[in-house]
């Protein structure tokens, strides 16, 4: 199981969270990555934790003010990127363009989707993984694996039917080791979470619990 911690724009210390994630990954052998704000990518990567971007734009070098260039993300130390998060939705053509952009510097990619149909459409574009996250559960206290297990199972089947090489992750409300184990039982090979770690008083303890069942 892959644990990807999205720090969004929460007022947390990204380096402190990254150091906790690095240490828990080292002691447990689990794969844990942190996705900070773009301005913090280099500082997070310098901790040695696996570092991801929250987004890259469907652009090349050139006149693209305000865009997030995939090569710049990679130069800062990121090895992967999220795309199409529910809080930063983009058109299907732009998802495709961002996947092309991410491929140039060799970034791993996870495209977010709301439901099995969207998950299948995203899988057809050939990302490394698709993450199903029902928007109504994002930031809540109930994990998608508990609140709507069928959406995880159906998304796993939908993605596999399109492209067996694309992994299925899930997110929304994930905050404990039980949630991670439940997601694995439903066919997910990774989880996305944010507030459970970013807003925690003790991120290290939360991360230890998250990987306890892996």
């Amino acid at each position: 199981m892959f644990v990807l911690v999205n720090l969004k724009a929460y007022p947390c210390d990204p380096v402190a969270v990254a150091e906790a994630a690095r240490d828990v990954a080292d002691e447990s052998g689990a794969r844990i990555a942190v996705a900070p704000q773009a301005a913090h990518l280099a500082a997070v990567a310098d901790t040695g934790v696996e570092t991801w971007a929250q987004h890259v734009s469907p652009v090349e070098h050139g006149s693209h003010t305000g865009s997030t260039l995939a090569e710049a993300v990679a130069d800062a130390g990121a090895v992967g990127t999220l795309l199409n998060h529910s809080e930063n939705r983009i058109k299907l053509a732009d998802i495709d363009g961002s996947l092309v952009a991410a491929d140039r510097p060799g970034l791993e990619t996870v495209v977010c989707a709301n439901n099995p149909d969207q998950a299948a459409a995203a899988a057809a574009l050939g990302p490394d993984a698709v993450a199903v996250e029902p928007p109504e559960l994002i930031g809540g206290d109930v994990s998608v694996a508990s609140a709507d297990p069928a959406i995880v199972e159906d998304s796993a089947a939908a993605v596999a039917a399109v492209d067996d090489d694309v992994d299925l992750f899930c997110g929304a409300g994930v905050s404990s080791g039980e949630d991670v184990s439940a997601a694995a039982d439903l066919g997910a090979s990774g989880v996305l979470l944010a507030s459970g770690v970013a807003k925690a008083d003790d991120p290290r303890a939360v991360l230890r619990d998250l990987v306890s069942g892996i």
Side-chain angles (χ1 to χ4, degrees):
M1 288 291 285
F2 177 35
V3 176
L4 179 51
V5 181
N6 177 13
L7 299 184
K8 301 189 176 182
Y10 286 127
C12 61
D13 181 343
V15 171
V17 174
E19 289 173 342
R22 175 202 63 200
D23 294 346
V24 173
D26 287 346
E27 68 190 33
S28 67
R31 184 186 176 193
I32 305 174
V34 176
Q37 286 281 297
H40 299 145
L41 282 169
V44 166
D46 283 346
T47 68
V49 76
E50 182 174 335
T51 303
W52 280 54
Q54 296 180 12
H55 173 75
V56 297
S57 303
V59 300
E60 300 179 355
H61 287 279
S63 303
H64 304 293
T65 301
S67 297
T68 302
L69 186 68
E71 285 82 356
V73 162
D75 288 345
V79 298
T81 185
L82 290 170
L83 294 170
N84 197 49
H85 190 276
S86 283
E87 297 159 358
N88 190 24
R89 302 293 300 277
I90 56 178
K91 297 176 181 178
L92 194 64
D94 288 337
I95 297 174
D96 194 25
S98 290
L99 287 168
V100 171
D103 189 58
R104 292 196 306 264
L107 296 173
E108 194 171 341
T109 51
V110 174
V111 176
C112 298
N114 289 352
N115 54 54
D117 288 341
Q118 288 185 16
L125 298 176
D128 293 292
V130 172
V132 62
E133 292 190 300
E136 65 274 14
L137 297 178
I138 292 176
D141 297 324
V142 181
S143 166
V144 60
S146 300
D148 195 354
I151 199 171
V152 181
E153 292 178 316
D154 292 348
S155 294
V159 168
V162 172
D163 189 339
D164 241 350
D165 292 329
V166 177
D167 290 327
L168 188 281
F169 299 167
C170 69
V174 176
S175 61
S176 70
E178 289 183 2
D179 294 337
V180 175
S181 295
D185 290 342
L186 294 170
S189 57
V191 293
L192 271 60
L193 68 154
S195 59
V197 171
K199 297 172 72 174
D201 292 332
D202 188 349
R204 190 180 302 266
V206 173
L207 286 162
R208 283 185 174 135
D209 180 42
L210 283 165
V211 303
S212 61
I214 298 178

